[in-house]
Amino acid sequence: MADFSKIYQHGILAQIMDGQYDGTTTVGNLLTHGDFGIGTTTGIGVELIVLDGKAYGIPSSGKVRLLDLQTDKVPFATVNFFDKQLPKETLTDMTSAAFEKHAVEHGALQNVFTAVRLHGEFTDVLARSADQQQKPYPPFATVAASQHEFHADKLQATILGYYTPSVYEGAAAAGFHLHILADDHSFGGHLLHFHIKQADLQLQVFDDFQLHLPTSNKIFRDRQLDLPTLKAAMRKTE
């Protein structure tokens, strides 16, 4: 039976900011821990979306594809088993900024990890994905400066991701980290902004946060992280 009380994360976001892009677990293994979530793959050239137990990747071309369970690997991802029986709140005519403020206040999310699922019709959607990176990997701030952006005037889609309390910044991005996938799989990516025309919101709050570290990865074990610089980069790029 699925455990709806736990969120599972592989790796930490500070690794990505630092340029540690080697995949350290397979997509298949990741899906044993959840049927819903987001992340990235080796070389960070693909935005990862896990929805209803399937793993999708959106590269810099914007073309959505199914990921291979064994050959595709991830350096960083967050997943959970989503409780579809959670109550839904219908939202209308709301900007992305207004949505974030409403979700935090309405759901009392300030100090809890929370999965966000929002399905419906959106307008003025802007998403992005980065180019596939090759070794030696550059830091993420360099990659972010040349990411590809995708715009949709009108979209039927699912927005999904997480709210992370600021006290855990470094392990993950503080605040909202959201991806989007069109119902017809014609559009997707890391979400930058959107406008809700009408959509149903579900929020899943977690009692337990399981952090799985890539301890067999030598770079992760040996690297000295400049946390003040990396946290500043997170706030700027995420």
Side-chain angles (χ1 to χ4, degrees):
M1 185 174 179
D3 183 356
F4 296 136
S5 69
K6 182 177 71 177
I7 182 173
Y8 175 92
Q9 182 173 299
H10 176 74
I12 57 175
L13 189 59
Q15 291 171 246
I16 301 302
M17 296 296 110
D18 185 54
Q20 298 180 45
Y21 306 149
D22 281 343
T24 45
T25 192
T26 65
V27 169
N29 183 62
L30 187 69
L31 293 187
T32 66
H33 298 281
D35 57 12
F36 172 100
I38 59 175
T40 190
T41 62
T42 299
I44 66 166
V46 170
E47 295 290 341
L48 168 67
I49 291 174
V50 177
L51 185 61
D52 298 328
K54 294 183 179 180
Y56 302 92
I58 300 95
S60 59
S61 67
K63 187 176 181 180
V64 180
R65 67 177 178 89
L66 279 172
L67 297 179
D68 186 276
L69 298 183
Q70 300 305 317
T71 60
D72 283 310
K73 295 185 176 182
V74 301
F76 175 76
T78 308
V79 295
N80 67 279
F81 289 103
F82 197 86
D83 183 2
K84 293 183 178 179
Q85 301 307 310
L86 287 166
K88 296 179 181 179
E89 179 188 9
T90 300
L91 305 178
T92 58
D93 191 21
M94 187 177 288
T95 65
S96 50
F99 159 73
E100 291 185 1
K101 184 175 186 293
H102 171 82
V104 171
E105 293 178 353
H106 178 75
L109 308 183
Q110 288 85 347
N111 297 306
V112 291
F113 284 99
T114 308
V116 178
R117 182 171 181 153
L118 187 61
H119 181 264
E121 189 173 345
F122 306 94
T123 60
D124 192 22
V125 177
L126 185 65
R128 54 92 164 155
S129 186
D131 284 319
Q132 182 71 20
Q133 302 300 305
Q134 306 297 329
K135 292 182 177 181
Y137 296 133
F140 187 74
T142 301
V143 177
S146 59
Q147 292 182 103
H148 299 264
E149 296 185 351
F150 319 114
H151 182 263
D153 292 322
K154 183 179 179 181
L155 203 63
Q156 190 78 19
T158 299
I159 289 174
L160 67 159
Y162 298 94
Y163 176 81
T164 299
S166 58
V167 68
Y168 299 105
E169 185 178 34
F176 288 91
H177 185 174
L178 303 173
H179 289 189
I180 188 167
L181 181 66
D183 288 357
D184 63 3
H185 298 171
S186 63
F187 184 97
H190 175 104
L191 197 55
L192 298 175
H193 72 70
F194 58 93
H195 188 100
I196 299 170
K197 183 174 182 181
Q198 181 169 311
D200 291 330
L201 171 66
Q202 291 175 292
L203 299 172
Q204 184 169 338
V205 173
F206 302 102
D207 299 325
D208 296 318
F209 172 54
Q210 182 179 350
L211 179 59
H212 182 261
L213 298 175
T215 55
S216 61
N217 183 276
K218 185 175 181 352
I219 294 175
F220 175 77
R221 293 289 292 268
D222 294 345
R223 182 89 81 183
Q224 286 280 2
L225 298 179
D226 179 358
L227 287 178
T229 299
L230 296 179
K231 286 186 177 182
M234 285 182 209
R235 298 184 190 109
K236 183 178 180 179
T237 59
E238 288 295 315

